[in-house]
Every structure is written in structure tokens, then in C-alpha cells.
């Protein structure tokens, strides 16, 4: 079983082009074992589930980190956007009041 799990990990790393650290792989393996208990599958299913979960959790973390970074960027840029909108509005109002 250990060799099958190792191969599953290597397959997931190859698909994603990354190397997983021990903490991440241990967390995912624990999660998979819990899922197996819940869905009532035997240990033969573990390598398949493990590879799949390694990939899915990786993508999930990427999405979360990207969303957090986008939110941070938006908050940093927001004052500048409001200032630019205010300046544009003032300019347009000046043009309209002269006409």
C-alpha cells in the first residue's frame, strides 16, 4: 500500500509540476482515510482518492490564495480609483457647466 500511495503522490506532483511537503501530504492522507470510512470503501480505493485529493486540495489552495491576493490588490487600489472617478466627474461637470 505504501508504494501505491507514493506512486499516487508522484503522479499528482507530475501533473501539477510541484513537490508536496510532508505536512501537506499527511493532512491530505488523513482526510482521505476519513473519507474512506464515511463512504464505506476499502483501502484499495485509497491510492486513487489520495491522488485526486492531492490535486483538488492544491487547486483549492491556489484559488483561495489568488482570491485573497486579488482582494488585497483591490483594497489597495480602491482609494486611487475613487480619486480618479472624482476627478473625472469634476472635469465632466466643469465641461457641462461651461456649455
Amino acid at each position: 500500500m505504501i508504494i501505491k500511495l507514493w506512486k499516487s503522490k508522484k503522479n499528482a506532483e507530475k501533473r501539477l509540476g510541484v513537490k508536496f511537503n510532508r505536512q501537506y501530504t499527511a493532512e491530505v492522507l488523513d482526510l482521505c482515510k476519513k473519507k474512506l470510512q464515511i463512504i464505506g470503501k476499502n483501502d484499495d480505493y485509497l491510492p486513487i482518492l489520495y491522488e485526486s485529493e492531492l490535486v483538488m486540495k492544491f487547486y483549492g489552495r491556489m484559488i483561495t490564495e489568488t482570491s485573497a491576493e486579488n482582494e488585497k490588490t483591490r483594497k489597495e487600489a480602491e482609494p486611487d480609483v475613487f480619486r480618479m472617478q472624482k476627478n473625472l466627474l469634476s472635469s465632466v461637470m466643469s465641461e457641462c457647466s461651461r456649455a
Side-chain angles (χ1 to χ4, degrees):
M1 179 61 70
I2 292 174
I3 293 172
K4 287 182 180 180
L5 291 174
W6 180 82
K7 286 181 180 179
S8 295
K9 177 180 148 290
K10 289 297 176 189
N11 287 341
E13 288 175 336
K14 185 177 178 182
R15 284 172 56 189
L16 297 170
V18 298
K19 295 283 184 190
F20 299 125
N21 65 39
R22 286 181 188 219
Q23 180 182 353
Y24 176 75
T25 56
E27 288 173 10
V28 173
L29 185 58
D30 287 343
L31 173 71
C32 290
K33 288 177 180 178
K34 289 176 186 174
K35 281 188 171 189
L36 282 181
Q37 289 176 345
I38 291 169
I39 62 176
K41 294 270 188 179
N42 62 20
D43 286 346
D44 292 339
Y45 186 64
L46 184 58
I48 296 166
L49 181 62
Y50 184 54
E51 182 177 340
S52 175
E53 287 293 329
L54 284 169
V55 173
M56 288 186 350
K57 291 288 179 195
F58 179 81
Y59 283 138
R61 287 184 180 187
M62 278 184 29
I63 290 167
T64 300
E65 289 178 18
T66 301
S67 296
E69 187 63 31
N70 287 344
E71 181 66 15
K72 179 183 171 192
T73 301
R74 185 192 64 77
K75 286 183 178 182
E76 290 172 353
E78 198 169 69
D80 291 335
V81 171
F82 288 141
R83 181 181 43 75
M84 290 183 330
Q85 287 174 337
K86 183 179 175 184
N87 291 344
L88 180 61
L89 183 59
S90 295
S91 173
V92 169
M93 288 176 70
S94 294
E95 289 286 323
C96 290
S97 64
R98 280 190 248 154

